[in-house]
């Protein structure tokens, strides 16, 4: 019985420290972040910048656990017809939802998205925070941008003051 109590206490302390570290990481993410680059590495191929070398974007993390991501091509123009409107959809990525942290894993449970394929999904990313620089990377996955290819995307952000 004493071993069971000791094991239970050790497990509780371990889990509490993990929750505390996740809470601390979430607190460090709170704020507004400006996108500085978006690179997609095609597995077995060359890296690409799908929205060019200067994409526009913002990520916002709130203290109550919500995140919002918006990424756009820098050369977007107002639509004047249906074809232009369809093209605008291809030059934008947006999703929001409640986020959680587990180690270096950032999961957003998407509640709203520019593309209904993402709504209701858990978008899992891996992050690295160094001062006012934030790097968010996808796992290797089938690309929504390059159909039929596997990719790893990396987004780099700077904290806005």
């Amino acid at each position: 019985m004493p071993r069971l109590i000791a094991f239970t206490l050790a497990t509780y302390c371990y889990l509490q420290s993990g929750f505390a570290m996740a809470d601390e990481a979430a607190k460090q993410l709170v704020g507004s972040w400006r996108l500085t680059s978006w690179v997609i590495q095609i597995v077995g191929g060359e890296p690409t910048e799908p929205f060019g070398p200067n994409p526009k974007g913002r990520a916002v993390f709130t203290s109550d656990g919500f995140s919002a991501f918006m990424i756009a091509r820098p050369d977007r123009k107002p639509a004047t017809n249906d074809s232009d409107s369809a093209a605008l959809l291809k030059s934008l990525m947006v999703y929001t939802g409640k986020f959680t942290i587990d180690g270096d894993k950032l999961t957003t449970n998407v509640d709203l998205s520019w593309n209904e394929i993402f709504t209701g999904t858990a978008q899992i990313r891996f992050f690295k925070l160094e001062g006012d620089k934030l790097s968010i990377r996808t796992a290797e996955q089938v690309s929504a941008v390059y159909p039929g290819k596997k990719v790893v995307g990396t987004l780099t952000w700077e904290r806005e003051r």
Side-chain angles (χ1 to χ4, degrees):
M1 186 65 151
R3 285 184 185 169
L4 179 59
I5 293 171
F7 175 74
T8 303
L9 183 59
T11 302
Y12 174 79
C13 290
Y14 174 76
L15 290 176
Q16 286 299 92
S17 66
F19 292 140
M21 287 177 18
D23 284 346
E24 184 58 33
K27 286 178 187 173
Q28 291 176 10
L29 288 175
V30 168
S32 179
W33 299 81
R34 182 180 57 84
L35 183 65
T36 59
S37 74
W38 177 26
V39 175
I40 292 180
Q41 175 64 55
I42 299 171
V43 175
E46 296 294 317
T48 66
E49 295 174 306
F51 285 2
N54 299 304
K56 293 180 178 181
R58 180 169 330 284
V60 177
F61 295 90
T62 66
S63 60
D64 60 346
F66 284 90
S67 62
F69 297 90
M70 180 174 180
I71 304 167
R73 289 187 62 87
D75 56 354
R76 291 167 46 96
K77 305 279 188 263
T80 58
N81 55 47
D82 288 346
S83 178
D84 289 351
S85 293
L88 283 174
L89 186 60
K90 292 182 179 183
S91 65
L92 177 71
M93 293 179 66
V94 177
Y95 66 84
T96 70
K98 197 88 166 148
F99 76 92
T100 58
I101 303 281
D102 183 10
D104 68 342
K105 185 167 67 170
L106 166 68
T107 302
T108 302
N109 292 300
V110 179
D111 60 6
L112 177 68
S113 174
W114 95 110
N115 183 337
E116 286 305 310
I117 290 173
F118 291 93
T119 302
T121 67
Q123 293 298 303
I124 299 169
R125 306 289 186 258
F126 301 92
F127 76 99
K128 184 177 183 180
L129 182 59
E130 294 175 322
D132 287 340
K133 304 277 187 203
L134 172 63
S135 176
I136 298 178
R137 173 184 57 80
T138 69
E140 184 177 301
Q141 60 189 15
V142 175
S143 176
V145 177
Y146 302 106
K149 299 191 184 272
K150 289 195 173 190
V151 298
V152 174
T154 303
L155 299 112
T156 307
W157 310 83
E158 284 186 357
R159 185 182 299 277
E160 293 187 311
R161 299 263 178 212

